[in-house]
């Protein structure tokens, strides 16, 4: 459910016409709906509550790190899951309290760990023995105890794209669940460490419940072992990963949050632990579109191309993961106009800069507007300036109002951090 709907034949975000935004802000531009963000947050947290679960929900900042989006979620009570010092800074700047922030990631540096401790962070999810030792040393220098989880790798097949699977032994993430007990013992004996939780995150865009079921089972087993050993665990952090519909024919329909909450409750609900969840995609994906204008229409030898002003630098998912985004014209075709099949591509000098091959669309011409749907997660956060293209701007809509919440940099700003070497005069 989202708030991008057609009114009088023109696609709107809530009460704002996308034609208005395109004319006033320019394209390409990401557009987010406050109502959809609010709704998704409510559905997800409501499902947990209905299943009787006591949970802290930390939005995965890497899905959408826009400060205004994070502020919207923080105002609803969201915590944050961050994967770098930079994301921690952004989350704090957006108003997320430090005691609701979880720090994940395999490569945290000494400086990042020190910063997290200075902020008074809720939890650091340790992913290696090396990191545990580094964190212990940093915490002891500061005379504090770092609150940690160890992220376990449960070795389950998440049934998703191989580039977004994280819970198999051959992935770089977490500590093999078979080795976790030993590391917990070590952690429990460290002066700079306070063991608080077990964590996991098995992948993203997971449609099916069975990988969660398997992974939660292993978490439950480990908890029993640790408790027998006298190691106190207060909470269980089960990560994110719930899939969303991208509306591709034949794709499995992701399970609704209520079903997910029931599987959590069945496996982990009766253990006397608080739960921590780190949803990303589920909260923001359908709350955003990438709005773009057709620059050229080109009749190739075997097919027609719509060449857009958005490229793989603005929305990387199709090029990176073969991801599917539904593509739709902003202005509905006149009644009776038949669809044609076209390739929708960007302007970047790479053959992988393709948003959709042979998509059925009404005939479109240069100047027409279209949207890539379900682009509110892993869209703008992955954008870059490849081909000398300034970072794509972002707009947040609320009812009949919109605001540019990240403006388009000028070319001058694009190169502002660069300078000639001293010998170049
Ligand atoms: C990416 C990530 C998430 C969020 O995953 P989604 O699939 O967007 O829900 C949660 N936790 C960790 C550790 C992650 O790396």
């Amino acid at each position: 459910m989202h708030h991008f709907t057609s009114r009088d034949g023109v696609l709107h975000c809530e009460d704002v016409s996308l034609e208005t935004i395109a004319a006033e802000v320019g394209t390409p531009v990401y557009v987010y709906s406050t109502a959809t963000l609010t709704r998704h947050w409510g559905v997800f947290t409501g499902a947990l509550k209905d299943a009787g679960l006591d949970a802290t929900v930390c939005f995965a900042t890497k899905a959408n790190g826009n400060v205004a989006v994070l502020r919207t979620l923080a105002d609803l009570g969201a915590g944050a899951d961050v994967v770098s010092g930079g994301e921690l800074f952004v989350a704090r700047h957006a108003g997320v309290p430090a005691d609701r922030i979880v720090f994940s990631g395999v490569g945290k540096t000494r400086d990042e760990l020190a910063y997290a401790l200075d902020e008074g962070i809720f939890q650091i999810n340790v992913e290696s023995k090396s990191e545990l030792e580094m964190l212990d040393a940093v915490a002891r220098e500061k005379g504090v105890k770092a609150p940690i989880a160890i992220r376990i790798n449960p070795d389950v097949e998440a049934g998703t794209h191989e580039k977004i699977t994280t819970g198999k032994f051959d992935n770089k993430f977490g500590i093999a669940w078979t080795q976790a007990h030993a590391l917990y013992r070590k952690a429990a004996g460290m002066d700079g460490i306070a063991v608080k939780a077990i964590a996991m995150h098995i992948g993203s865009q997971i449609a099916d419940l069975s990988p969660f079921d398997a992974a939660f089972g292993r978490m439950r087993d480990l908890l029993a072992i640790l408790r027998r050993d006298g190691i106190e665990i207060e909470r269980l952090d089960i990560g994110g990963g719930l899939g969303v519909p991208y509306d591709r024919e034949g794709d499995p329909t992701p399970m609704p949050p209520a079903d997910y909450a029931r599987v959590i409750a069945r496996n982990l609900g009766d253990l006397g632990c608080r739960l921590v969840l780190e949803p990303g995609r589920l909260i923001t994906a359908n709350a955003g579109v990438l709005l773009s204008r057709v620059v050229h229409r080109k009749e190739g030898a075997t097919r027609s191309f719509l060449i857009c002003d958005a490229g793989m630098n603005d929305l990387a998912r199709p090029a990176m993961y073969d991801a599917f985004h539904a593509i739709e014209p902003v202005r509905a075709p006149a009644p009776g106009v038949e669809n044609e099949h076209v390739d929708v591509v960007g302007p970047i000098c790479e053959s992988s800069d393709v948003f959709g091959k042979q998509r059925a669309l009404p005939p479109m011409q240069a100047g027409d507007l279209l949207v890539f749907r379900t682009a509110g997660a892993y869209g703008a956060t992955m954008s870059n300036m490849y081909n000398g293209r300034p970072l794509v701007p972002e707009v947040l809509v609320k009812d009949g109002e919109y605001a540019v919440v990240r403006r388009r940099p000028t070319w001058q700003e694009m190169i502002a951090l660069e300078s000639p070497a001293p010998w170049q005069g």
Side-chain angles (χ1 to χ4, degrees):
M1 175 46 209
H2 56 71
H3 298 79
F4 295 88
T5 52
S6 193
R7 293 193 192 171
D8 299 328
V10 178
L11 201 57
H12 282 58
C13 175
E14 303 189 23
D15 300 331
V16 180
S17 158
L18 294 183
E19 287 186 343
T20 305
I21 292 175
E24 294 176 7
V25 183
T27 52
V29 58
Y30 279 93
V31 181
Y32 308 125
S33 158
T34 300
T36 309
L37 291 169
T38 306
R39 183 186 143 81
H40 287 183
W41 181 261
V43 167
F44 189 75
T45 53
L48 298 172
K49 209 183 241 167
D50 290 347
L53 298 168
D54 178 20
T56 299
V57 183
C58 298
F59 171 67
T61 308
K62 76 177 191 292
N64 191 320
N66 182 279
V67 170
V69 169
L70 293 178
R71 174 77 52 92
T72 303
L73 296 174
D75 287 346
L76 295 168
D81 170 62
V82 302
V83 292
S84 69
E87 275 193 359
L88 174 53
F89 175 81
V90 172
R92 293 291 293 121
H93 180 74
V96 182
D99 64 6
R100 259 184 249 152
I101 299 182
V102 172
F103 195 172
S104 303
V106 291
K108 304 179 204 76
T109 64
R110 174 176 283 272
D111 286 350
E112 287 177 320
L113 293 171
Y115 172 43
L117 292 176
D118 289 344
E119 288 289 304
I121 199 163
F122 176 59
Q123 180 175 302
I124 297 176
N125 291 355
V126 171
E127 299 217 21
S128 62
K129 178 162 164 281
S130 164
E131 182 188 347
L132 181 67
E133 287 165 351
M134 183 188 276
L135 179 59
D136 175 48
V138 174
R140 277 187 290 111
E141 270 167 37
K142 291 181 182 296
V144 298
K145 273 184 180 287
I148 69 146
I150 289 177
R151 175 172 173 181
I152 60 162
N153 182 324
D155 197 33
V156 298
E157 188 55 72
T160 183
H161 191 279
E162 67 167 313
K163 286 185 185 162
I164 50 176
T165 288
T166 58
K168 289 285 291 173
F169 277 171
D170 50 5
N171 298 132
K172 68 180 175 181
F173 298 99
I175 300 282
W177 67 285
T178 46
Q179 298 169 354
H181 183 201
L183 199 64
Y184 268 105
R185 269 209 176 141
K186 185 177 168 71
M190 287 173 148
D191 287 337
I193 298 292
V195 172
K196 297 283 185 193
I198 305 174
M200 62 173 224
H201 170 71
I202 57 173
S204 200
Q205 187 54 17
I206 300 170
D208 178 31
L209 281 176
S210 55
F212 288 115
D213 225 4
F216 296 159
R218 291 194 163 158
M219 188 175 236
R220 191 184 166 98
D221 291 348
L222 178 63
L223 177 73
I225 293 169
L226 296 180
R227 282 189 168 160
R228 225 175 295 142
D229 217 19
I231 296 172
E232 280 298 321
I233 299 290
E234 301 169 18
R235 49 195 190 234
L236 301 172
D237 176 347
I238 58 174
L242 208 54
V244 302
Y246 282 92
D247 299 330
R248 170 158 45 185
E249 224 172 284
D251 273 0
T253 309
M255 82 210 90
D259 291 0
Y260 176 65
R262 271 193 291 275
V263 171
I264 300 169
R266 187 170 74 227
N267 282 283
L268 307 171
D270 57 348
L271 299 172
C273 286
R274 187 173 184 78
L275 290 162
V276 180
L277 294 97
E278 305 166 354
R281 190 187 307 273
L282 186 81
I283 305 297
T284 58
N286 278 318
V289 300
L290 174 59
L291 173 61
S292 176
R293 200 179 284 282
V294 177
V295 185
H296 297 292
R297 182 190 172 100
K298 173 160 143 175
E299 307 304 337
T302 61
R303 58 188 63 206
S304 303
F305 296 95
L306 295 180
I307 304 168
C308 305
D309 62 5
M312 64 188 276
N313 68 302
D314 304 307
L315 177 61
R317 299 186 64 258
M320 232 170 125
Y321 313 126
D322 309 312
F324 177 94
H325 286 272
I327 303 172
E328 240 176 73
V330 167
R331 190 164 272 274
V337 171
E338 286 198 13
N339 281 346
E340 54 173 7
H341 286 85
V342 291
D343 283 14
V344 181
V345 304
I348 303 287
C349 299
E350 295 283 347
S351 295
S352 54
D353 187 24
V354 176
F355 291 112
K357 286 196 169 152
Q358 295 302 291
R359 291 293 180 89
L361 284 168
M364 295 182 74
Q365 307 300 330
D368 290 347
L369 293 167
L370 51 76
V371 294
F372 302 97
R373 284 212 183 253
T374 325
Y378 307 104
T381 45
M382 285 190 182
S383 63
N384 60 68
M385 302 192 298
Y386 187 40
N387 277 208
R389 293 161 51 84
L391 284 180
V392 57
E394 296 170 279
V395 160
L396 182 64
V397 172
K398 187 173 192 298
D399 305 323
E401 277 183 275
Y402 80 85
V404 177
V405 291
R406 182 171 79 190
R407 71 174 171 81
R408 192 185 311 278
T410 63
W411 288 338
Q412 202 59 45
E413 286 168 328
M414 182 175 70
I415 59 163
L417 301 179
E418 300 179 38
S419 53
W423 60 85
Q424 292 175 311

